[in-house]
Amino acid sequence: MTKAAELAKMGEVLTNSQIGGRRNILINGGLQISQRGTDLNDVSHGDYCADRFQITKANTDQLVINYDQSTDTPDGFSNSFKLSVGTVESAIDTNEYLMINQKIEAQNLQHLKYGTSSAETLTLSFHVKSSVTGTYAISVFQQDASKYYSTTYTVNSANTWEYKTVKINGNTSDIINNDNGSGLRLSWTLSSGSNFTSGSNDAWGASSNWAVGHNASWITTSSATFFLTGVQLEVGSQATPFEHRSFGEELALCQRYYYEHCRGTSDHLSLGDAHNSTQADCIVHFPVTMRATPTLDASSGTDYWLMYIANSGKYSSGAWTIFKPMPTGATCYNSGFSSMTAGNAGRIIPSNASAYMAFDAEL
């Protein structure tokens, strides 16, 4: 093939808006980053597993699901998101559902031109492997307009990596606000009750029927598994090859929403000072500016934390409290220490393998 023919062929696949620059609107699409842990059992509604990927489930009775950062992947990827059924649901009631979501910050979506006649078409591509075949729903929720868009894909062969692409039409009626709130929420439905599965696909609407056409009974299948990786959402009507970003760049993007400062006995928390005989203070500077003022996510327990002052260790039996947090850093204090001398400085160290401190500014 001549160079001219090769370029012409490429022109058939790529639109101008897809050539060059960063293409993937999603973060952690290669599932490399999992700050909260790589093996999480009994995942609850609202929990984040891999960074930026959240579980939502409702009204289930028996269901227990577990998350693993897996090395079972298609060629070209090192990690995948694995969800598995630990305890099976006996039946899918009309109001039950289970989804994997990623929320996208609104100010990062202004180039989609939503609310105008030029609203961009999006293409979602991903690799999926499920032990349960059938039709699965993909949905998009636009927060500012309270509107849904749904479509489907099919898992054809059990326990086999398959590559999928779906098209998402632009919303010409409703703008995405230019702020740091949630602009779009992208969801993979694993199971859904009949309350959400009827209606029409491939159009924006106010109906909450976001799982139209879904028929896979994943949560009622004993030991079911679902793997996901190579997730990409991009402008245009054609999927392009997955945009691999460096581990450091992907981690920094994730840390805007969740930053784990320390975990386990191999880490140090901070330099600190004794505010009085029982309270230790520390200052944490974040590596990137977080999306919003964060909340504190930290473990507590007897002897979880050590204030090491002049060759003498003072252990805490209390919990950390965040004080005057900002998107760039925070002061934290712990009043569970004892017998300290006010004004002394020292190192604060996690002294239990389960000890951790993190900061949460998720959408």
Side-chain angles (χ1 to χ4, degrees):
M1 181 182 291
T2 66
K3 189 64 175 179
E6 183 179 344
L7 291 173
K9 183 68 174 177
M10 183 180 296
E12 294 174 8
V13 176
L14 301 179
T15 64
N16 288 337
S17 60
Q18 290 175 291
I19 300 175
R22 174 170 289 171
R23 289 172 285 113
N24 196 354
I25 296 171
L26 299 176
I27 296 173
N28 199 24
L31 282 303
Q32 296 172 279
I33 313 300
S34 196
Q35 294 184 82
R36 294 169 177 85
T38 58
D39 181 5
L40 306 176
N41 294 324
D42 196 6
V43 177
S44 299
H45 171 76
D47 285 352
Y48 282 83
C49 297
D51 277 62
R52 307 298 304 120
F53 287 85
Q54 182 188 39
I55 297 297
T56 55
K57 63 187 183 82
N59 305 310
T60 54
D61 305 302
Q62 301 85 25
L63 181 66
V64 174
I65 54 172
N66 304 314
Y67 158 77
D68 293 280
Q69 184 187 49
S70 176
T71 56
D72 184 342
T73 64
D75 291 344
F77 297 91
S78 58
N79 296 109
S80 65
F81 184 110
K82 177 186 178 184
L83 210 62
S84 58
V85 171
T87 301
V88 71
E89 187 76 359
S90 61
I92 301 177
D93 295 335
T94 59
N95 61 348
E96 292 182 350
Y97 61 83
L98 171 66
M99 298 188 297
I100 303 170
N101 311 308
Q102 182 166 149
K103 297 175 184 175
I104 308 168
E105 193 170 339
Q107 59 192 359
N108 294 337
L109 297 172
Q110 299 306 299
H111 63 300
L112 302 189
K113 308 171 195 171
Y114 274 33
T116 76
S117 59
S118 302
E120 298 279 7
T121 297
L122 296 172
T123 296
L124 172 68
S125 56
F126 55 94
H127 296 266
V128 63
K129 175 181 175 180
S130 178
S131 61
V132 180
T133 60
T135 300
Y136 287 76
I138 293 286
S139 66
V140 182
F141 176 64
Q142 185 175 339
Q143 181 76 44
D144 297 317
S146 293
K147 285 188 177 179
Y148 293 85
Y149 183 97
S150 64
T151 188
T152 61
Y153 67 96
T154 301
V155 171
N156 299 295
S157 301
N159 302 311
T160 303
W161 281 106
E162 298 177 353
Y163 178 69
K164 306 296 179 182
T165 64
V166 300
K167 185 177 73 171
I168 299 164
N169 296 325
N171 181 358
T172 59
S173 301
D174 306 284
I175 66 167
I176 297 174
N177 293 342
N178 187 23
D179 58 27
N180 67 345
S182 177
L184 297 176
R185 183 189 69 205
L186 177 67
S187 301
W188 289 259
T189 297
L190 273 67
S191 288
S192 175
S194 59
N195 284 359
F196 314 107
T197 58
S198 61
S200 300
N201 270 328
D202 302 316
W204 287 94
S207 169
S208 60
N209 289 358
W210 35 257
V212 176
H214 184 99
N215 64 23
S217 299
W218 191 84
I219 64 174
T220 57
T221 303
S222 180
S223 302
T225 56
F226 185 92
F227 297 81
L228 189 66
T229 196
V231 179
Q232 181 154 290
L233 181 69
E234 58 191 307
V235 173
S237 57
Q238 297 289 335
T240 65
F242 181 77
E243 178 190 345
H244 289 275
R245 297 193 279 251
S246 71
F247 184 93
E249 183 178 6
E250 206 74 78
L251 176 61
L253 291 171
C254 292
Q255 287 173 331
R256 176 168 172 79
Y257 304 93
Y258 187 85
Y259 166 53
E260 183 179 88
H261 180 65
C262 64
R263 180 180 292 272
T265 55
S266 62
D267 284 343
H268 285 66
L269 193 161
S270 176
L271 294 176
D273 68 276
H275 181 77
N276 53 40
S277 63
T278 61
Q279 179 179 315
D281 299 341
C282 70
I283 297 175
V284 177
H285 298 285
F286 305 149
V288 301
T289 300
M290 301 195 77
R291 180 191 66 86
T293 299
T295 58
L296 178 66
D297 178 14
S299 60
S300 64
T302 301
D303 295 344
Y304 266 43
W305 304 96
L306 169 68
M307 178 72 166
Y308 195 74
I309 303 172
N311 298 319
S312 176
K314 307 293 185 181
Y315 289 91
S316 169
S317 60
W320 289 100
T321 299
I322 196 167
F323 177 68
K324 292 186 177 179
M326 299 181 294
T328 54
T331 299
C332 299
Y333 67 87
N334 186 323
S335 298
F337 294 90
S338 62
S339 304
M340 297 192 299
T341 300
N344 280 354
R347 291 177 293 134
I348 303 176
I349 306 168
S351 55
N352 185 291
S354 298
Y356 72 93
M357 177 182 282
F359 299 86
D360 189 335
E362 294 284 4
L363 288 160

